[in-house]
Amino acid sequence: MFIFLLILGASLMVYGFKKRADETKEQLLFSDNKEWIPEFPLEASKVSLSLEAEEEVKDLRHRMEMLEKTLFEELLKWQMERESLKSDFLPEEVELSLRGSEVFEEEEVSEKKPMPEHVKKVWDLLKEGRSTAEAARELGISKGEVLLLKNLSKHYKE
């Protein structure tokens, strides 16, 4: 299999080099044969082509400016709608408190629910002094799950 891939790779490289050599020969042939092409019609076509290209560029610039203007207006409209919806949903004092602090701390829940069995198993093993790796091995779950259940246990009654 290795030999086959080696031969295939070498043959594709040779084919690519040959193709590139053919393309450079064609470019040289076309660049050398410009002597027999009359100069005047070629120059006239270049001028007309450049005028058409200039008009197209102007048109495209105008269209791009219009799109930018429309996009900017839509963005402003969406921001205004978002601000109005935000002010409708959030009371004034909550909005001010949210703007004042970037870091949100967990609020204590006044009434805690009873701890589910799988969370209790993890909690009991960790209370016994076992590491997260040992608890994970004994329960047949990953360390990440043990850590997650440990953090979730804070929200339940013991």
Side-chain angles (χ1 to χ4, degrees):
M1 183 69 174
F2 175 73
I3 295 172
F4 172 73
L5 291 175
L6 188 65
I7 293 170
L8 180 66
S11 62
L12 287 175
M13 287 175 55
V14 169
Y15 176 74
F17 288 130
K18 185 173 180 165
K19 188 76 168 174
R20 181 173 286 172
D22 291 342
E23 288 174 358
T24 50
K25 284 181 187 177
E26 287 177 10
Q27 287 175 353
L28 288 174
L29 287 174
F30 285 120
S31 65
D32 291 341
N33 289 335
K34 285 186 178 179
E35 299 156 358
W36 62 272
I37 300 174
E39 291 292 323
F40 182 73
L42 184 62
E43 292 298 318
S45 67
K46 282 184 183 177
V47 171
S48 65
L49 185 63
S50 66
L51 289 177
E52 290 173 5
E54 284 181 29
E55 289 177 20
E56 187 175 348
V57 167
K58 286 180 184 177
D59 182 50
L60 289 173
R61 282 188 181 156
H62 176 70
R63 289 172 55 192
M64 189 171 64
E65 288 173 0
M66 295 301 293
L67 284 172
E68 286 175 346
K69 182 180 175 183
T70 306
L71 181 65
F72 182 71
E73 290 171 354
E74 287 295 318
L75 183 63
L76 282 177
K77 187 169 76 173
W78 288 341
Q79 277 185 328
M80 296 295 286
E81 288 176 9
R82 190 181 86 198
E83 290 296 322
S84 67
L85 289 174
K86 187 190 280 185
S87 64
D88 290 345
F89 287 125
L90 290 176
E92 196 68 31
E93 20 182 90
V94 172
E95 188 174 336
L96 291 176
S97 68
L98 289 178
R99 288 183 186 166
S101 66
E102 296 268 333
V103 178
F104 299 104
E105 295 186 18
E106 293 182 20
E107 294 181 18
E108 288 295 321
V109 179
S110 59
E111 185 179 317
K112 292 186 175 185
K113 298 179 182 177
M115 192 177 294
E117 189 63 33
H118 61 284
V119 178
K120 191 171 185 168
K121 287 179 186 176
V122 171
W123 185 249
D124 290 339
L125 289 173
L126 293 175
K127 267 188 167 180
E128 291 174 7
R130 298 199 183 160
S131 68
T132 55
E134 291 172 345
R137 201 174 319 119
E138 188 169 320
L139 295 173
I141 58 177
S142 68
K143 290 183 202 176
E145 288 177 276
V146 171
L147 291 172
L148 177 66
L149 292 174
K150 176 185 172 186
N151 288 332
L152 287 176
S153 67
K154 296 175 186 176
H155 300 287
Y156 295 109
K157 292 182 201 176
E158 287 187 32

